[in-house]
Amino acid sequence: MPAILLTGGAGYIASHTAICLLEAGFEVLALDNFSNSQPQALERVAQICGRSIPFVQADIRDEAALEHVFNTHQISAVVHFAGLKAVGESTEKPLEYYDNNVAGTVTLCRVMARHGVKQLVFSSSATVYGDAQKMPICEDAPRSATNPYGQSKLMLEYILADLQASDPQWRIAVLRYFNPVGAHPSGLIGENPNGIPNNLMPFISQVAVGKRAKLSVFGDDYATPDGTGVRDYIHVMDLADGHVKALQYLQQQAGLVAVNLGTGQGYSVLQMVKAFSEINQVAVPYQIVARRPGDIGTCYADARLALQLFGWKAERDLADMVRDAWRWQQQNPDGYCS
Ligand code: NAD
Ligand code: UFG
């Protein structure tokens, strides 16, 4: 049976997606250069699924390596997660971001086309909506970017649309993720940030476990109910299921679709802190500090298109998100090195 190639396969979202794909009866092949992940993640996936996960160590920018992968494996579709994702770092190292994300994806698509593999699910981001004026955010909202990371996703959305328009055999699902959080309920895999976490949930988890003294809440003067930033947090297992549904959709439908994967529900930073500490019965000390440059006040999805097209909606609630994030953190205080 041909496999689904997961680029960035050892990463946070891909490792969870691998489980859902295997459970849905797909074969998977993971490809990663391990620039932001470890092979242990795939060993843990194997432990959860009771079978080994084939993987290749390669860089998506290495055309010869990709050629070899497509020559030696039967691949029916690609779920393309590989990329760099740290907003702050992208402003310091823009060329690395454009090279990895944009050039890497162009190389990948070129190899796919050569091998007649024209089904692609692409990891985009709610960041392509910039500072959206209207909530909830629909897929046809104006797009913009304020940093090289966001710019790379936006460029790729245009590139993929041009590619599909040039050759209607391509079937492409551009998935715009809102804020993925949580972990597999086993506590065996989860988000494993290098150094100081940029994102809220891993930071809260590290404060709760005692690795960091307190959370800095970036601003309490936004136009939100409690003044702190509001986001659409989505459980990573729901997000993973969304990829299975998107692939199943592409098996039936040609064309390109861009679809939000969010819950449609926004929570503020303080609501997240409260939920985490109350549900997990653990203290999360915090202090209010200045706004983080580049942050927006509010961002949550209109999640109806995913339901309409894919028959998918998020099933897990905030309690599941904070419980599963905490289980992963407690069982693996130092990530996969624990
Ligand atoms: P992650 O860093 O855990 O996973 C990305 C994986 O890609 C890593 O394992 C990394 O080693 C690998 N990789 C990076 N560059 C590569 C290259 N050139 N060749 C091969 N492998 C490479 O990140 P994630 O959170 O799982 O994100 C997956 C995708 O989803 C990314 O494209 C990211 O931009 C996008 N996304 C993530 C979020 C989020 O908040 N986590 C939100 C929106 C979109
Ligand atoms: N926050 C804090 N303290 C922290 C970290 C975050 O108060 O230490 C606040 C932020 O100000 C924001 C909220 O928590 O209000 C969420 O911040 P994250 O950094 O977790 O997430 P963002 O919404 O800023 O960005 C994330 C990814 C982007 C992606 C976007 C949309 O980092 O790459 O979600 O998917 F584009």
Side-chain angles (χ1 to χ4, degrees):
M1 186 179 171
I4 309 297
L5 177 67
L6 306 184
T7 72
Y12 171 46
I13 302 170
S15 55
H16 292 80
T17 303
I19 294 170
C20 295
L21 285 169
L22 289 169
E23 281 172 357
F26 289 95
E27 289 296 319
V28 303
L29 170 64
L31 180 147
D32 208 298
N33 66 358
F34 301 115
S35 59
N36 196 38
S37 57
Q38 283 109 17
Q40 285 97 310
L42 293 169
E43 289 165 17
R44 301 278 185 92
V45 172
Q47 197 180 330
I48 292 167
C49 297
R51 50 173 292 187
S52 66
I53 308 300
F55 82 90
V56 181
Q57 179 165 1
D59 193 298
I60 55 163
R61 294 165 294 177
D62 182 344
E63 193 154 354
L66 290 185
E67 266 299 319
H68 183 69
V69 170
F70 279 80
N71 278 329
T72 50
H73 296 84
Q74 253 194 303
I75 294 165
S76 57
V78 177
V79 186
H80 176 34
F81 297 97
L84 302 178
K85 63 165 184 177
V87 172
E89 185 187 59
S90 80
T91 60
E92 289 149 29
K93 302 175 178 169
L95 296 182
E96 277 188 35
Y97 275 69
Y98 291 123
D99 188 37
N100 247 281
N101 296 4
V102 182
T105 303
V106 170
T107 302
L108 172 69
C109 290
R110 198 160 47 222
V111 177
M112 288 175 68
R114 237 177 353 243
H115 291 265
V117 179
K118 296 184 180 178
Q119 272 189 50
L120 176 69
V121 176
F122 172 64
S123 300
S124 189
S125 167
T127 195
V128 300
Y129 295 119
D131 193 356
Q133 295 308 305
K134 219 173 121 226
M135 293 297 144
I137 306 177
C138 289
E139 284 82 355
D140 59 4
R143 287 173 291 168
S144 66
T146 52
N147 57 69
Y149 167 70
Q151 200 69 260
S152 73
K153 293 291 180 191
L154 195 51
M155 285 178 185
L156 284 166
E157 288 204 358
Y158 287 120
I159 291 169
L160 294 177
D162 289 342
L163 175 63
Q164 202 284 327
S166 74
D167 175 355
Q169 283 181 353
W170 278 92
R171 297 168 177 233
I172 301 178
V174 169
L175 303 181
R176 297 182 183 143
Y177 312 155
F178 281 68
N179 290 57
V181 294
H184 188 268
S186 64
L188 285 170
I189 60 169
E191 191 171 7
N192 185 29
N194 274 331
I196 302 172
N198 293 310
N199 296 117
L200 179 65
M201 188 62 106
F203 206 106
I204 291 179
S205 300
Q206 292 195 4
V207 171
V209 86
K211 283 181 84 170
R212 309 205 178 267
K214 58 184 158 200
L215 170 76
S216 294
V217 174
F218 298 138
D220 67 350
D221 55 353
Y222 287 105
T224 62
D226 63 22
T228 65
V230 167
R231 296 290 184 276
D232 186 335
Y233 297 94
I234 174 169
H235 196 294
V236 66
M237 292 305 296
D238 277 329
L239 192 64
D241 278 333
H243 291 74
V244 177
K245 294 284 169 32
L247 267 176
Q248 289 166 337
Y249 170 87
L250 291 185
Q251 290 176 336
Q252 309 296 326
Q253 294 284 333
L256 177 142
V257 286
V259 180
N260 289 339
L261 293 185
T263 65
Q265 162 83 52
Y267 289 106
S268 74
V269 176
L270 292 181
Q271 282 176 310
M272 296 301 286
V273 171
K274 187 164 182 278
F276 195 100
S277 58
E278 285 185 2
I279 288 163
N280 295 321
Q281 294 290 298
V282 60
V284 180
Y286 68 86
Q287 63 177 354
I288 308 286
V289 302
R291 289 183 179 196
R292 181 170 64 178
D295 266 0
I296 55 176
T298 302
C299 176
Y300 57 92
D302 183 323
R304 287 175 300 176
L305 188 62
L307 182 60
Q308 192 188 319
L309 296 182
F310 304 160
W312 171 91
K313 68 177 170 56
E315 304 287 351
R316 293 156 180 90
D317 64 13
L318 185 56
D320 298 315
M321 300 182 211
V322 297
R323 238 187 327 252
D324 291 338
W326 183 226
R327 188 180 301 106
W328 156 252
Q329 179 67 62
Q330 277 188 302
Q331 291 182 19
N332 309 271
D334 297 310
Y336 290 108
C337 303
S338 302

